Amino acid sequence: MVELLPLRRQRDYRLLWSARAVSETGTEVSRLAVPLTAAALLNATPVQMGLLTAATSLPYLLIGLPAGAYADRLRRHRPLLVLCEVVSGAAVLTVPLGWLAGLLTVPWLITVALVVGTCSVFYRAVWFPHLPSVVAREQRTAAIAGFQMVYSTAGICGPGLAGLLVQAITAPLALVADAASFAVSALLLHSLRPPETATTSGSTSLTTPESTSSTAASDSTATSASTASGAMSTATASHSRDSAGTRSSAASGTTSGATATKFMRDTTRGTDTSIEIETDAAAEATIGTRTSLLRDTREGMLTVMRHGTLRTLIGAGVLINFASAAQMALLVLFTVRTLGMQPGAVGLLVAASGVGGLLGAVTAPRLTGRLTEDRTILIAVALFPLEFVAIASAHGSAGVLVPLLMGAFAVSGMAAVLFSVCYGTIQLRESPPDMLGRVNATMTVSTLGVMTLGGVAGGVLGEFLGLRPTMWACAFVVLLAVSLVWSSPLRHALSAPHRPTPA
């Protein structure tokens, strides 16, 4: 067995992690500065604000699935990752330049949001299949947890930084920070060393052998990626998240092989680290025989739907995200009007959730090492209803409610990150290499697209049923997700023998 260095000592993982950390922090600045620019400086109407919000997620619904099929056709993913960051940074930079020139308008902002959203779609689509060239399979859970830590930390610290920048230099000029973060991320991604080579399946893998010595391993995180057979007995799909993470998954069937997940890659096994690869000519011939994007997209969707574990993961993700979006749409109204809390209390609840998420990211590698990802995800999903039930049943003075609800939100935040880490790892474990992009697209479009529906449903139900009944309805939907996961093939992990592995 090839000895692998800790992720923190692997150059390419550090670069990939740093790229996400910088870019996510910049994104938090835009999340505050763009709507402030539209509302406070450009006097946007409510309709324009709605269009601006929708512009960011609209590309996922329009091109998310074809982007996944396109990603599976690429022989190299890293150039597109760099291009997406460069184009996004350039688009964001036009906002402060347009403001200084006196030309900035709301349609301009909407256009920028569409460009950045489109780049985000393609970035997510190619990032997941790219991960196997950077992170070893044995370290997938730790890698995913590391990226989850980025998102949690950015969510906690980013809004504060954004507020300081907006206060100091105005909202449009604060976007220079986001543009700079895209540029830095592009440079870091460009500095990655592992070469990508198309395999017979059309995905990419690392072809440089990894030395068994720690010195050689320090510069090359992982060596070989998924081989065609023997990687795992179960052949099927996987899911990856976005950077935010990325998510991707693939199909069941007879194709076996290691695969990639949300934040990592397949890796070295045994002392012989060579892998089966295809010559460039053969790879090009394979890619050249690809069918239409529409058929490839359909294959990705069928892959997820026909695989029991992947179907469970996407079903649970859709239910949880739908309920979460519905709850968040009414959370401020419910806490302020029904519970009599101050508006700042909502910020404390969100902050508590972020702290819980950070704790989940820190503990995930050790916890999954002792319990396995399957057992951990069963525990994590069982904790989700706590926050929803606590909110729906909340009564009493704010002095008592706020600490109790902060505790519930912290537990839920920790459960969410544990669920996400295991979600990505299980998805990677089950996914055939040639379906990574398409499955990723199916997962991403479904789980992100349903949040739009959840927000609308929450508002409608709150209007006609009332705020508290709607909160109980959200809790019921989450309980359905728990039931779905616990009745799935994942439950067999409880009775399966397990030998703990080092975190």
Side-chain angles (χ1 to χ4, degrees):
M1 187 71 167
V2 173
E3 178 184 356
L4 295 173
L5 289 178
L7 288 173
R8 65 180 180 276
R9 296 179 59 189
Q10 296 177 14
R11 174 186 180 274
D12 292 304
Y13 173 76
R14 292 199 307 268
L15 288 172
L16 190 62
W17 186 92
S18 299
R20 277 296 81 208
V22 171
S23 187
E24 284 297 314
T25 302
T27 298
E28 289 296 332
V29 175
S30 284
R31 198 162 284 146
L32 176 65
V34 169
L36 278 178
T37 299
L41 301 179
L42 300 179
N43 298 316
T45 66
V47 171
Q48 288 176 322
M49 291 299 294
L51 291 174
L52 181 59
T53 301
T56 302
S57 57
L58 183 62
Y60 285 98
L61 298 176
L62 296 180
I63 62 172
L65 293 176
Y70 175 72
D72 282 338
R73 295 172 176 231
L74 293 177
R75 294 180 58 242
R76 298 181 64 223
H77 298 111
R78 196 175 308 134
L80 186 54
L81 289 175
V82 174
L83 179 63
C84 287
E85 295 292 74
V86 171
V87 173
S88 295
V92 171
L93 187 59
T94 66
V95 175
L97 294 178
W99 172 253
L100 291 175
L103 302 175
L104 188 64
T105 62
V106 174
W108 186 323
L109 286 179
I110 293 174
T111 302
V112 169
L114 283 170
V115 171
V116 174
T118 300
C119 289
S120 178
V121 169
F122 281 100
Y123 188 99
R124 286 173 178 259
V126 299
W127 192 60
F128 178 72
H130 170 70
L131 290 174
S133 68
V134 180
V135 182
R137 172 144 69 95
E138 290 83 354
Q139 297 173 313
R140 64 181 59 175
T141 300
I144 293 179
F147 284 99
Q148 287 292 340
M149 190 180 300
V150 167
Y151 307 132
S152 296
T153 303
I156 295 172
C157 304
L161 173 63
L164 291 175
L165 288 174
V166 169
Q167 185 70 27
I169 59 176
T170 73
L173 297 183
L175 291 172
V176 173
D178 191 22
S181 74
F182 280 120
V184 172
S185 176
L187 289 173
L188 292 172
L189 291 170
H190 182 70
S191 300
L192 290 170
R193 292 179 182 173
E196 296 177 286
T197 301
T199 65
T200 54
S201 62
S203 64
T204 59
S205 63
L206 184 65
T207 61
T208 302
E210 182 179 70
S211 169
T212 55
S213 70
S214 358
T215 304
S218 63
D219 279 343
S220 200
T221 319
T223 57
S224 54
S226 351
T227 58
S229 62
M232 40 209 83
S233 54
T234 312
T236 46
S238 102
H239 170 276
S240 135
R241 178 202 105 53
D242 143 276
S243 258
T246 48
R247 292 186 179 174
S248 154
S249 93
S252 69
T254 56
T255 305
S256 64
T259 55
T261 165
K262 188 170 161 185
F263 301 114
M264 77 258 199
R265 77 174 178 51
D266 264 329
T267 176
T268 336
R269 292 180 298 276
T271 55
D272 182 5
T273 60
S274 62
I275 59 174
E276 299 178 14
I277 60 172
E278 187 176 35
T279 63
D280 289 347
E284 291 171 358
T286 300
I287 296 173
T289 60
R290 285 278 192 183
T291 55
S292 69
L293 281 176
L294 182 61
R295 181 172 178 179
D296 286 351
T297 299
R298 180 174 176 271
E299 288 177 354
M301 297 172 66
L302 291 176
T303 288
V304 175
M305 293 300 101
R306 290 172 176 171
H307 187 281
T309 299
L310 292 180
R311 189 170 61 247
T312 296
L313 291 179
I314 195 172
V318 165
L319 290 172
I320 291 170
N321 280 359
F322 182 90
S324 297
Q327 183 202 61
M328 288 305 298
L330 302 176
L331 186 61
V332 173
L333 288 176
F334 183 73
T335 54
V336 173
R337 295 183 182 178
T338 304
L339 301 182
M341 295 182 182
Q342 295 298 316
V346 180
L348 292 177
L349 299 183
V350 175
S353 180
V355 172
L358 189 59
L359 181 61
V362 171
T363 58
R366 184 175 299 276
L367 192 59
T368 54
R370 292 179 64 88
L371 301 178
T372 74
E373 287 81 12
D374 292 21
R375 292 172 178 170
T376 302
I377 202 171
L378 289 169
I379 296 172
V381 76
L383 295 175
F384 268 117
L386 177 61
E387 169 195 322
F388 291 85
V389 172
I391 279 287
S393 61
H395 289 85
S397 67
V400 175
L401 281 180
V402 172
L404 291 177
L405 291 178
M406 286 180 65
F409 271 69
V411 172
S412 183
M414 180 178 179
V417 170
L418 288 174
F419 181 87
S420 182
V421 169
C422 297
Y423 189 111
T425 304
I426 294 170
Q427 183 180 338
L428 174 60
R429 181 189 72 204
E430 301 292 325
S431 177
D434 62 331
M435 300 293 290
L436 292 179
R438 282 166 283 180
V439 176
N440 173 41
T442 301
M443 297 295 226
T444 301
V445 171
S446 300
T447 53
L448 290 183
V450 76
M451 295 186 73
T452 301
L453 300 177
V456 173
V460 172
L461 291 176
E463 179 73 23
F464 290 98
L465 297 182
L467 298 178
R468 192 179 293 276
T470 302
M471 291 299 180
W472 278 115
C474 293
F476 175 74
V477 172
V478 173
L479 287 172
L480 291 179
V482 176
S483 175
L484 178 63
V485 174
W486 275 82
S487 62
S488 74
L490 291 170
R491 72 183 186 280
H492 298 309
L494 296 175
S495 56
H498 168 59
R499 179 168 55 88
T501 57

